[in-house]
Amino acid sequence: MFVIWGSKGFVEDLGKTHLECECPNCHNWVTMQGIKMGRKFTLFFIPLFTTSSEHFIACPICMWREEVSIPKMESYLVRGAGKVIEE
Ligand SMILES: [Zn+2]
């Protein structure tokens, strides 16, 4: 018997933030999106747990993004639209 393990990247949409600003990249006035990107450890291609994750605010037009800390992300997110889960 052999074991197949690896890792898989994932992107999770955390929903809209109430951060309205001019995007530093495309200069459109946008509502930033909250996203979480990371990698999951997989066993037989089944994702088991998150090995690393980063939180970003992202421009929905050009996909420019900036990393933010978890407490900052929680304060940016529109209540009920999504939530930050630390795994
Ligand atoms: Zn942009």
Side-chain angles (χ1 to χ4, degrees):
M1 169 159 169
F2 61 96
V3 176
I4 304 165
W5 59 273
S7 69
K8 191 177 181 296
F10 71 95
V11 179
E12 200 179 309
D13 185 6
L14 300 173
K16 271 193 173 8
T17 66
H18 47 73
L19 207 65
E20 281 184 41
C21 57
E22 190 188 312
C23 172
N25 186 49
C26 66
H27 303 287
N28 282 295
W29 193 261
V30 294
T31 305
M32 291 291 175
Q33 289 280 121
I35 55 168
K36 179 176 165 181
M37 291 174 77
R39 294 201 79 78
K40 280 186 198 285
F41 176 84
T42 60
L43 195 62
F44 295 108
F45 309 108
I46 299 159
L48 289 183
F49 55 85
T50 305
T51 52
S52 67
S53 68
E54 288 165 315
H55 295 80
F56 298 89
I57 50 164
C59 168
I61 296 170
C62 68
M63 295 318 287
W64 169 89
R65 59 180 188 259
E66 184 177 72
E67 192 178 354
V68 292
S69 63
I70 293 168
K72 246 185 176 172
M73 178 59 86
E74 273 172 343
S75 69
Y76 288 156
L77 287 176
V78 174
R79 207 170 279 274
K83 64 182 174 187
V84 178
I85 304 158
E86 186 57 6
E87 291 173 85

